[in-house]
Amino acid sequence: MDSNDFLLQQFMTLRDEIKATKSRIFWIVAMGLFGVPVITYLAERLEQAQVVTLMIPYVVIVLLVMFIAEHSALMRAGQYIRRNVEPKAGEALGWETWLEGHPGVRLLDKHFFAVFILVFFVYYFMSIGFAVQDLLVTVAEDATRLWWLIAAVVTYGVGAVWALSTLLHHWRSATGTSFDA
């Protein structure tokens, strides 16, 4: 295989990876925007609702981090194309190079990323509120359940700090391909 065939195969493979990543992002967004409210609604109607209610913040935080990871993978593939494939394409201006040369065209991608993160943090803190409220009722009825409340509050707090630090650490890599890694 000569170097041009190799570059073409790399480009095609990365484009396939980008398509698969965009598909996974779509499903993560769909699960988050529609699945979390449905699960929350159903949790209020189940007999063992407290277990489900306690788990919802963990589901939300995992979806949030999955979204950040997928968006970072999408941009990482684009960065590789821009840095390693496009320079070897001769005088033709590559798509990723063109995108980074026109910052305004990626603005919607950055806003989509930011809005989704904002919505999911709202979901996260709302689901924590529901879970803690439910636990407070349980603790009022049975003081031995206080440890559940303490454990939930601590783990939810750790989850918030972890998600926020992950977000801050990966913000640039998830919203563009021009950063230096």
Side-chain angles (χ1 to χ4, degrees):
M1 176 183 296
D2 71 357
S3 64
N4 286 336
D5 287 340
F6 179 71
L7 281 174
L8 179 62
Q9 291 301 318
Q10 272 193 316
F11 179 78
M12 299 303 287
T13 300
L14 287 167
R15 283 297 174 193
D16 288 343
E17 176 65 24
I18 288 169
K19 287 178 190 176
T21 300
K22 284 181 140 311
S23 176
R24 288 188 298 267
I25 287 172
F26 171 81
W27 285 110
I28 292 168
V29 169
M31 285 188 300
L33 292 179
F34 302 111
V36 170
V38 168
I39 291 169
T40 304
Y41 174 79
L42 293 175
E44 291 296 315
R45 272 108 187 108
L46 294 173
E47 283 185 32
Q48 297 295 323
Q50 190 171 46
V51 174
V52 176
T53 303
L54 288 173
M55 290 180 59
I56 292 171
Y58 302 122
V59 170
V60 172
I61 208 76
V62 167
L63 286 171
L64 176 66
V65 173
M66 285 172 56
F67 178 77
I68 294 168
E70 288 297 328
H71 218 277
S72 293
L74 177 73
M75 291 297 154
R76 189 172 48 246
Q79 181 185 38
Y80 185 85
I81 289 170
R82 186 178 61 77
R83 287 184 173 188
N84 298 303
V85 177
E86 289 179 356
K88 296 177 179 128
E91 293 184 29
L93 180 64
W95 175 249
E96 294 296 333
T97 303
W98 181 83
L99 283 173
E100 289 303 325
H102 297 84
V105 297
R106 274 234 164 104
L107 195 55
L108 182 60
D109 296 331
K110 291 178 181 185
H111 287 190
F112 171 74
F113 182 77
V115 165
F116 186 81
I117 297 299
L118 179 65
V119 167
F120 259 67
F121 269 114
V122 168
Y123 277 6
Y124 183 64
F125 290 115
M126 286 178 62
S127 64
I128 288 172
F130 292 140
V132 169
Q133 181 181 359
D134 199 27
L135 278 171
L136 287 171
V137 170
T138 303
V139 168
E141 295 169 1
D142 180 4
T144 62
R145 298 285 181 131
L146 180 61
W147 291 108
W148 279 96
L149 177 63
I150 293 168
V153 168
V154 167
T155 59
Y156 296 154
V158 168
V161 169
W162 174 63
L164 191 58
S165 68
T166 300
L167 172 64
L168 293 174
H169 183 75
H170 294 283
W171 181 267
R172 288 184 61 206
S173 66
T175 59
T177 63
S178 64
F179 68 97
D180 290 319

